Amino acid sequence: MDYQELGVTYTREDIILILKQNLSQKRFDHVLRVEQTALVLAEQYQIDKKIVSLTALLHDYGKERADEEYLALIAKNPKYHDLTPYGNNIWHGFLGALIVRDELKIYDERILHAIQVHTTGSIEMNLLDKIIFIADYIEPGRDFPGVETARKLAYSGKLDDAIIFALTQTLQFLITKKQIVYPYTIEVYNYWITKKEREEHNDK
Ligand code: GDP
Ligand code: FE
Ligand code: FE
């Protein structure tokens, strides 16, 4: 597979080699499973498979960088200052997209945005954002309570319900584990948990 129509000269084989150099075997395998899952969803929800493949492959590209590298990126980009206390879980999406852009010269904003929000989700997700977010959550290597429910929703045409389910589960999980919650994670939860009410209201 090539990604020329996305303005990317790397082939899929090139990207695979780059990933092998940047990721542990465990994360590399996860990334391939996210790609396969995302491609199934791409077929089901009718979206271009090339952009889905490339975004899925790159979504965790920056995940294994040292904290110092992220803190240096924050120092260089003051608009990301508020990310400082939240650690790798939050950095590798929002700042991982900058690493992908600058190291791999990938400038397609759709790809970069989906990478940015793949951990927290976002307000107003487009179809690519949703597919990457959910594929990451339900890939076959995931094994946590509720993952089957999320899979059923995603594979039965209820992508938005799968997202609401995942956002709710993740927030519950973080609080149960007494982990720090990035405020945007809560904003996104609030937006999605009230989305249906808003839509019903607007229909009247
Ligand atoms: P992964 O990179 O494939 O492991 O998956 P994700 O990028 O989706 O998530 C990485 C981790 O971030 C998961 O364990 C999530 O539960 C966690 N996470 C999601 N939102 C937040 C948040 O607001 N704060 C913190 N500390 N962790 C979060
Ligand atoms: Fe991730
Ligand atoms: Fe991931």
Side-chain angles (χ1 to χ4, degrees):
M1 193 187 307
D2 69 65
Y3 303 114
Q4 297 232 4
E5 66 197 53
L6 301 168
V8 174
T9 52
Y10 297 117
T11 64
R12 184 171 177 281
E13 298 309 304
D14 296 332
I15 298 287
I16 296 288
L17 287 177
I18 291 170
L19 291 173
K20 282 207 161 152
Q21 287 160 2
N22 278 273
L23 300 176
S24 61
Q25 184 71 42
K26 174 173 157 257
R27 188 147 311 275
F28 176 79
D29 293 342
H30 158 71
V31 161
L32 289 188
R33 290 192 301 265
V34 172
E35 185 203 25
Q36 292 316 303
T37 304
L39 286 172
V40 172
L41 295 171
E43 172 72 28
Q44 186 185 340
Y45 290 100
Q46 294 290 300
I47 173 174
D48 176 56
K49 293 205 174 83
K50 291 195 177 190
I51 197 167
V52 167
S53 160
L54 184 58
T55 310
L57 289 176
L58 295 179
H59 84 281
D60 276 340
Y61 176 73
K63 176 109 177 176
E64 294 180 350
R65 303 300 169 97
D67 287 358
E68 291 70 32
E69 185 171 339
Y70 279 115
L71 292 169
L73 257 180
I74 292 172
K76 247 191 7 195
N77 297 275
K79 77 166 183 171
Y80 291 111
H81 183 75
D82 74 313
L83 296 176
T84 308
Y86 299 99
N88 180 277
N89 279 354
I90 292 299
W91 297 339
H92 83 280
F94 290 99
L95 301 170
L98 301 187
I99 299 177
V100 166
R101 184 192 67 193
D102 296 345
E103 290 185 6
L104 304 180
K105 313 289 177 214
I106 286 171
Y107 300 112
D108 189 314
E109 288 295 339
R110 298 166 300 173
I111 297 173
L112 298 176
H113 185 263
I115 295 173
Q116 271 181 355
V117 303
H118 86 265
T119 304
T120 58
S122 72
I123 289 169
E124 302 287 2
M125 294 164 93
N126 63 38
L127 187 53
L128 178 65
D129 298 336
K130 290 178 187 178
I131 285 179
I132 299 300
F133 177 83
I134 281 299
D136 191 19
Y137 194 77
I138 67 172
E139 61 94 343
R142 300 292 198 197
D143 177 23
F144 46 77
V147 69
E148 252 338 297
T149 307
R151 285 185 184 124
K152 272 193 199 123
L153 290 169
Y155 290 132
S156 65
K158 296 180 174 166
L159 194 53
D160 284 6
D161 289 335
I163 286 171
I164 293 168
F165 181 83
L167 291 171
T168 307
Q169 288 285 117
T170 297
L171 191 53
Q172 274 177 347
F173 167 84
L174 292 170
I175 289 170
T176 304
K177 296 258 162 194
K178 295 191 165 58
Q179 293 211 21
I180 187 169
V181 179
Y182 183 41
Y184 189 61
T185 299
I186 297 177
E187 268 181 63
V188 172
Y189 167 81
N190 284 341
Y191 172 84
W192 281 89
I193 207 74
T194 54
K195 191 168 185 279
K196 280 201 186 127
E197 278 169 39
R198 246 185 344 265
E199 285 165 359
E200 279 162 24
H201 199 73
N202 289 342
D203 283 347
K204 279 175 201 158

